[in-house]
Amino acid sequence: MSLSKLKAPKGANRRKVRVGRGQASGLGKTAGRGGKGQKARTGNMHFEGFEGGQMPLQRRLPKFGFHNVFRRELEEVQVADLEGLSGTVDAAVLEASGLIRGNRDGVVVLGQAELKAALTVKVNRVTAGARAAIEKAGGKVELVPAPVTMYQKAKAAKKAEQAK
């Protein structure tokens, strides 16, 4: 026995019944749907959640929650984690060192730990405690500006045009 000689057992593969193909087929005229009524009509009861005309559950229950499409999720890095790094620290350096994954909208530095090395940290946001710790060690913090959306660009252009 080999894979090339395998075949389905007799009667396993049946032809699809084509309903509504004339009286001789045995399923002509009403095509097996009986006579009249909602179930006999096309375009009814074929969608998810249909409850026979009763108000469906997903419409009866109260809606709640909100998803902000403009939310920016930032990767978090603790000041203590910056200890082993040197020079300029930005998102690329943090990703290479394995401190962040690089799949979010930016980086925020948190914490109040002590730093020994002077670092230049280029991130999107820094807490007051983290900024104090970095500057106390002789380093400095540079904030990366948030990316400007097309809407913001258009709004600024419109405002500049109105000012003229």
Side-chain angles (χ1 to χ4, degrees), residues 75-127:
E75 302 241 22
E76 297 177 355
V77 177
Q78 295 293 327
V79 174
D81 296 337
L82 301 176
E83 191 60 53
L85 304 172
S86 61
T88 302
V89 177
D90 60 355
V93 173
L94 292 169
E95 190 174 350
S97 62
L99 292 173
I100 64 172
R101 287 188 178 172
N103 59 354
R104 299 236 172 119
D105 301 320
V107 181
V108 57
V109 180
L110 310 169
Q112 299 173 339
E114 301 253 339
L115 275 179
K116 293 183 182 92
L119 301 172
T120 302
V121 180
K122 293 182 179 181
V123 290
N124 299 79
R125 209 166 78 208
V126 176
T127 62

Side-chain angles (χ1 to χ4, degrees), residues 66-73 105 146-147 149-152:
F66 173 73
H67 179 72
N68 186 356
V69 294
F70 301 109
R71 178 187 169 132
R72 294 177 58 230
E73 289 198 15
D105 301 320
T149 63
M150 290 176 66
Y151 170 74
Q152 290 168 330

Side-chain angles (χ1 to χ4, degrees), residues 2 27-28 50 54-55 59 85 92-93 99 114 124 131 135 143 146:
S2 66
L27 283 173
F50 183 75
Q54 173 175 296
M55 186 61 67
R59 291 186 61 195
L85 304 172
V93 173
L99 292 173
E114 301 253 339
N124 299 79
R131 182 186 289 272
E135 290 174 351
L143 294 180

